[in-house]
Amino acid sequence: MSSDPCSFSAFTRCVTKHLNLSLHLDFDRHVIRGKVALTVEALEDRFSALTLDTRDLKIVSVSTNGQAARFTMGPKHSFKGTPLEIQLPFDLSRGQHVIVEVTYETSPAATALQWLKPEQTAGKKQPYLFSQCQAHHCRSMVPCQDSPSVKHTYYAQVSVPKDLVAVMSAVRDGQEMDPQDGNHTIYRFRQPVPMPSYLIAIVVGALESREIGPRSRVWSEKEFVDKAAFEFSETETMLKTAEDLAGPYVWGQYDILVLPPSFPYGGMENPCLTFATPTLLAGDKSLSNVIAHEISHSWTGNLVTNKTWEHFWLNEGHTVYLERMIGRCLESEQFRQFKAMGGWKDLQDSVNTFGANNPLTNLVPSLQDIDPDDAFSSVPYEKGFALLYHLEELLGGPEVFMGFVKSYIQLFAYSSVTTDEWKNYLFTYFKDKVEVLNKVDWTAWMFTPGMPPVKPQYDTTMADACIALSQRWIKDPLPLTHVKRIQEVYDLNSCMNSEIRFRWLRLCVRSRWEDAVAMALKMATEQGRMKFTRPLFKEVYNFEKYREEAVRVFLAHRTAMHPVTSGLVSKDLKVDASQTTSV
């Protein structure tokens, strides 16, 4: 049985070493016809059967080393999908490889994929497809061992309509006319660095690119491409800074792709091709810290990976730590402290949302029978960062602790790790400071819900000016007269920085300013970043008078939303998944 609660594949018995993908995209039917050849290594003698993860896939045929193989589909699980059980027509010895080839078709409802009609894109002329596989959605696009504990290289050939361009989380490797279909172009990709399945990514659309550095291009529809090139022009400086901190960048290319507005996350660290929300395009580079975060994942997450999603904090806590160290190098230590204070507030908000006794606020939660999408929050990011910052203070400051982080990355590069392995190495690296480490309340930090046992004392220099100004306005809740006056003084309604606009509209709705409801619902639906969309919908839903309006607007827009986003918003608004009209 698998030791990953989110996967059916038994990776103690065999592991995938390489994937070769052949994908043909059908934009009319919203499906991918695929063939995947998995190079699988047996980890035990007399190995004769393996299980792959699938979700809503139609399996056409399976062969092993060119011979037809028997296969069965197990029972369907609500979020894990359906195990694909394959009988090999021969036995393998430990260490032997077999090539398992599966021909299949995805479902139009594949959770990894969002198919956009031309009118949902910026250009309005061509359709668009993008994938989001983290955490456990790759199995709806490719049958695979869909666990972050398994790492493999991959090659891909992707056939797309000839007016469109395909890019993947890999190095571009040429293109040619599809010999089977004169209206299609085949794009080729190779990813020579072993990586987990959740980092396989594809985007197809009317894409253009601009060079923004010696190893970087920015990709998007032409409507966004120059704006994006300006916004992300500091990418190479960030990459060099990260290399100084963490060691060489091993992925070759570092490109950024700006997606259409329905992309559910701020960014996604797909190797060679970071995905970014268009809500980062503020016009003044003020939100480019998200790119520092995704760059940092090239080391923490992509090179050293959490073994299961229960150890997600190893990916995100270390990445936030690195992101803020990049900020320290490029701005100042006070800037890092200011960002850390904001992170502590985000953590407090997450704990309040989940409830201080909710086990999902543990740094290391149990995900037995829990959908990782439901567990997603800022806890692994900010509780993880707070622990690392606390250790930094105890062990001798940022330079000393960054030495440990770099050493940890070098030791565990190209592998997947658990919290225990991380902690054991921490004690080994700081062997002369074990008595300090023994004083840390590890159980409280890792396995206890709620806020951390220690609140770091952050330097408030940069925050003091903000706090002083806010104190002049504050009453709780803010009276509507104050909110209207803030609008008169600062004209925040016209602010297009998404982070500021989001906070402002939440405040307006919370203060029961009825004029703001329509603006809040507009922001919730004209982009789909869950960080903004979910709280805005919840805020309007909690305004009793407009509760039905929140549900009505959600139902009207649901089909245009990303499947993960619409699923979570329907839970937030207590809407039945099959409901089509308002309550």
Side-chain angles (χ1 to χ4, degrees):
M1 196 45 213
S2 164
S3 52
D4 181 338
C6 199
S7 168
F8 291 114
S9 59
F11 43 80
T12 51
R13 301 181 51 233
C14 67
V15 286
T16 306
K17 293 306 214 182
H18 179 74
L19 288 183
N20 203 327
L21 281 169
S22 297
L23 305 177
H24 185 282
L25 274 63
D26 185 335
F27 274 92
D28 295 327
R29 294 175 52 228
H30 286 184
V31 299
I32 296 177
R33 294 199 301 280
K35 185 182 277 186
V36 60
L38 304 100
T39 305
V40 177
E41 180 180 327
L43 298 179
E44 60 184 25
D45 285 328
R46 294 188 301 284
F47 177 78
S48 62
L50 77 152
T51 305
L52 298 177
D53 290 301
T54 76
R55 185 170 179 177
D56 301 328
L57 294 180
K58 186 163 94 194
I59 306 299
V60 178
S61 64
V62 178
S63 70
T64 51
N65 289 352
Q67 298 180 45
R70 291 208 321 273
F71 67 92
T72 53
M73 304 296 283
K76 182 174 178 176
H77 180 275
S78 60
F79 62 84
K80 283 199 276 191
T82 310
L84 168 60
E85 318 271 1
I86 299 168
Q87 281 303 129
L88 305 188
F90 43 75
D91 282 6
L92 292 189
S93 303
R94 184 165 182 238
Q96 281 190 308
H97 287 194
V98 60
I99 293 180
V100 178
E101 193 168 271
V102 183
T103 305
Y104 67 95
E105 188 174 281
T106 64
S107 155
T111 53
L113 303 173
Q114 189 175 17
W115 302 83
L116 300 178
K117 303 185 197 81
E119 58 269 26
Q120 290 174 280
T121 67
K124 311 286 185 221
K125 289 189 178 64
Q126 296 290 351
Y128 196 106
L129 168 70
F130 71 84
S131 67
Q132 168 59 34
C133 287
Q134 196 179 29
H136 59 301
H137 299 290
C138 186
R139 64 194 71 179
S140 71
M141 182 169 80
V142 183
C144 60
Q145 289 187 297
D146 198 8
S147 167
S149 59
V150 178
K151 290 190 162 180
H152 42 67
T153 51
Y154 83 89
Y155 283 17
Q157 299 76 239
V158 184
S159 175
V160 305
K162 67 173 189 292
D163 294 338
L164 302 180
V165 174
V167 285
M168 290 190 79
S169 53
V171 178
R172 297 188 306 285
D173 202 21
Q175 65 192 77
E176 66 211 29
M177 200 180 93
D178 187 336
Q180 253 89 59
D181 181 347
N183 292 317
H184 270 229
T185 304
I186 290 179
Y187 287 86
R188 297 187 181 279
F189 303 93
R190 60 190 163 82
Q191 178 51 270
V193 181
M195 48 158 256
S197 56
Y198 76 84
L199 293 175
I200 296 175
I202 183 168
V203 168
V204 179
L207 299 174
E208 292 191 6
S209 69
R210 300 280 185 274
E211 192 174 286
I212 55 169
R215 47 187 157 173
S216 299
R217 303 187 76 82
V218 67
W219 296 81
S220 77
E221 294 182 79
K222 74 168 183 290
E223 290 75 10
F224 284 143
V225 74
D226 291 316
K227 199 172 181 198
F230 170 79
E231 205 76 34
F232 304 136
S233 61
E234 290 157 8
T235 298
E236 180 62 23
T237 310
M238 287 183 184
L239 270 171
K240 282 207 179 90
T241 307
E243 287 186 301
D244 291 342
L245 290 164
Y249 178 78
V250 303
W251 304 90
Q253 192 74 7
Y254 181 83
D255 288 359
I256 299 170
L257 176 112
V258 178
L259 286 120
S262 63
F263 182 60
Y265 297 99
M268 178 63 210
E269 65 274 14
N270 298 312
C272 308
L273 185 70
T274 278
F275 284 17
T277 167
T279 64
L280 299 183
L281 302 177
D284 60 2
K285 310 186 189 184
S286 57
L287 301 179
S288 62
N289 67 294
V290 171
I291 301 301
H293 181 90
E294 305 311 334
I295 283 173
S296 300
H297 267 306
S298 307
W299 289 269
T300 49
N302 299 5
L303 199 54
V304 182
T305 306
N306 46 229
K307 195 166 268 186
T308 73
W309 297 114
E310 299 172 309
H311 304 282
F312 187 44
W313 84 272
L314 291 173
N315 278 21
E316 295 301 348
H318 287 86
T319 297
V320 173
Y321 186 83
L322 251 181
E323 167 205 337
R324 289 184 183 148
M325 287 300 280
I326 293 172
R328 177 178 189 261
C329 296
L330 296 180
E331 300 281 345
S332 67
E333 173 60 18
Q334 287 184 347
F335 177 81
R336 180 173 83 122
Q337 297 282 327
F338 181 71
K339 290 291 189 188
M341 284 180 72
W344 185 268
K345 182 176 184 317
D346 290 342
L347 176 57
Q348 185 73 69
D349 290 346
S350 275
V351 169
N352 292 344
T353 301
F354 277 93
N357 296 317
N358 190 321
L360 291 181
T361 64
N362 288 12
L363 188 60
V364 187
S366 164
L367 293 183
Q368 206 62 50
D369 302 318
I370 289 176
D371 184 337
D373 285 342
D374 291 342
F376 184 81
S377 76
S378 39
V379 170
Y381 296 72
E382 296 298 349
K383 205 180 212 182
F385 171 81
L387 172 58
L388 297 175
Y389 183 82
H390 178 57
L391 292 171
E392 173 197 296
E393 288 195 305
L394 292 177
L395 295 164
E399 283 80 6
V400 172
F401 197 71
M402 196 58 228
F404 161 72
V405 173
K406 184 173 187 177
S407 178
Y408 157 77
I409 291 165
Q410 285 169 337
L411 179 66
F412 291 106
Y414 309 103
S415 63
S416 302
V417 289
T418 62
T419 299
D420 275 350
E421 289 170 299
W422 169 86
K423 188 179 161 195
N424 289 341
Y425 185 58
L426 179 76
F427 274 71
T428 304
Y429 183 90
F430 289 111
K431 57 183 180 295
D432 52 343
K433 295 181 178 168
V434 167
E435 68 291 342
V436 176
L437 290 171
N438 280 331
K439 289 202 180 87
V440 174
D441 189 342
W442 295 104
T443 305
W445 272 101
M446 288 174 173
F447 305 110
T448 308
M451 292 301 285
V454 178
K455 179 175 182 181
Q457 292 305 300
Y458 296 123
D459 175 343
T460 62
T461 307
M462 285 180 77
D464 286 340
C466 311
I467 293 163
L469 179 59
S470 71
Q471 291 301 328
R472 294 171 59 186
W473 289 100
I474 272 175
K475 283 189 185 169
D476 193 37
L478 217 49
L480 186 49
T481 50
H482 279 40
V483 178
K484 288 181 174 175
R485 182 81 183 115
I486 290 173
Q487 166 56 19
E488 284 171 29
V489 175
Y490 303 120
D491 190 19
L492 291 173
N493 283 348
S494 65
C495 177
M496 285 300 141
N497 177 306
S498 56
E499 295 281 357
I500 296 171
R501 187 169 184 78
F502 162 63
R503 287 165 174 77
W504 166 239
L505 291 174
R506 283 188 82 182
L507 178 68
C508 292
V509 174
R510 200 172 288 180
S511 300
R512 304 293 184 252
W513 191 358
E514 298 192 28
D515 296 2
V517 170
M519 286 190 286
L521 291 172
K522 184 169 187 278
M523 183 172 182
T525 51
E526 69 186 4
Q527 57 75 53
R529 187 177 176 185
M530 291 196 289
K531 173 182 183 177
F532 300 150
T533 292
R534 292 182 67 189
L536 286 166
F537 266 119
K538 280 197 272 194
E539 214 67 70
V540 176
Y541 183 82
N542 290 335
F543 189 168
E544 201 68 53
K545 183 174 174 182
Y546 289 93
R547 177 164 294 181
E548 288 192 17
E549 178 68 359
V551 174
R552 187 192 67 74
V553 169
F554 166 62
L555 291 172
H557 286 84
R558 176 161 63 176
T559 53
M561 293 168 88
H562 188 275
V564 174
T565 313
S566 65
L568 290 168
V569 174
S570 63
K571 287 180 184 175
D572 294 337
L573 304 189
K574 303 176 178 52
V575 171
D576 177 23
S578 59
Q579 190 176 324
T580 52
T581 53
S582 108
V583 284

